[in-house]
């Protein structure tokens, strides 16, 4: 049976101090304690991935004041753990990743209309992998390696 993946966008958000200080925003899901991730979300009908990432950033971290530096050239898919897949009606997600830098005037506010996160922090490269969910680690490795190999991080 063919797997069903939800179209999704995700942002690797760099602090405004980039490139002098390369720190990544990672946030803890409000519904799953200890589950840290990059901001991400589904793509609405008739929405481009770029429009979706700006909307998702506004909805999840309270700002779309970012500069888009790059995007991963491929759509990357991952499978949900079994329990999540049943609830979501999808086997996983197919994601388009963007590398963005917060503008110096950006104000992060995770206390949004429907908060998805209850905490966030800026961490270095290795700090991302200390916190992120196990099933997302392979995708995060691939995405960050690409941006590193391209000279962005």
């Amino acid at each position: 049976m063919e797997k069903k993946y939800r179209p999704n966008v995700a942002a690797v958000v760099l602090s405004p101090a980039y490139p002098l200080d390369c720190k990544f925003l990672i946030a803890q899901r409000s519904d799953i304690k200890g589950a840290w991730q990059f901001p991400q979300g589904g793509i609405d009908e008739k929405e481009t991935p770029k429009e979706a990432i700006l909307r998702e950033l506004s909805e999840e971290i309270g700002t779309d004041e970012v500069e888009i530096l790059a995007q991963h050239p491929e759509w990357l898919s991952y499978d949900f753990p079994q329990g999540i897949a049943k609830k979501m009606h999808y086997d996983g997600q197919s994601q388009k990743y963007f590398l963005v830098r917060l503008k110096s005037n950006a104000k992060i506010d995770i206390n949004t209309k429907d908060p998805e996160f209850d905490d966030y922090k800026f961490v270095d490269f290795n700090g991302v992998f200390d916190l992120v969910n196990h099933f997302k680690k392979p995708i995060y490795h691939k995405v960050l390696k690409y941006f590193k190999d391209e000279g962005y991080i």
Side-chain angles (χ1 to χ4, degrees):
M1 191 160 103
E2 192 172 323
K3 291 189 175 189
K4 188 175 172 188
Y5 291 97
R6 175 182 178 230
N8 188 284
V9 289
V12 177
V13 181
L14 295 164
S15 81
Y18 170 85
L20 299 175
D21 190 16
C22 192
K23 299 276 188 188
F24 304 89
L25 181 138
I26 191 157
Q28 179 176 246
R29 295 181 58 98
S30 55
D31 59 344
I32 308 169
K33 290 291 178 233
W36 293 80
Q37 66 181 49
F38 293 137
Q40 65 175 49
I43 300 172
D44 292 341
E45 199 174 320
K46 297 183 181 174
E47 190 175 46
T48 67
K50 184 179 175 185
E51 292 167 339
I53 198 60
L54 294 174
R55 177 185 50 73
E56 285 294 336
L57 287 170
S58 283
E59 291 175 4
E60 294 189 356
I61 65 168
T63 186
D64 63 359
E65 290 295 316
V66 298
E67 174 187 357
I68 296 175
L69 303 175
Q71 58 184 291
H72 196 281
E74 302 168 34
W75 287 82
L76 302 171
S77 299
Y78 69 88
D79 291 347
F80 291 134
Q82 203 57 38
I84 296 173
K86 282 190 168 87
K87 283 196 298 193
M88 296 291 291
H89 309 291
Y90 291 97
D91 296 300
Q93 300 196 103
S94 183
Q95 297 182 303
K96 177 57 111 173
Y97 273 83
F98 290 86
L99 179 67
V100 305
R101 182 184 65 81
L102 284 169
K103 293 180 180 176
S104 59
N105 64 326
K107 300 279 186 265
I108 294 174
D109 180 7
I110 58 172
N111 191 19
T112 58
K113 185 175 159 234
D114 296 309
E116 295 206 25
F117 300 125
D118 62 13
D119 196 8
Y120 74 93
K121 56 178 101 177
F122 285 93
V123 298
D124 63 16
F125 189 90
N126 292 327
V128 170
F129 300 103
D130 291 341
L131 293 169
V132 72
N133 283 350
H134 63 91
F135 67 94
K136 291 186 179 179
K137 279 185 183 178
I139 293 283
Y140 280 28
H141 272 290
K142 187 171 189 170
V143 168
L144 292 180
K145 181 182 182 324
Y146 172 79
F147 290 138
K148 193 172 193 174
D149 288 351
E150 291 296 308
Y152 289 106
I153 57 175

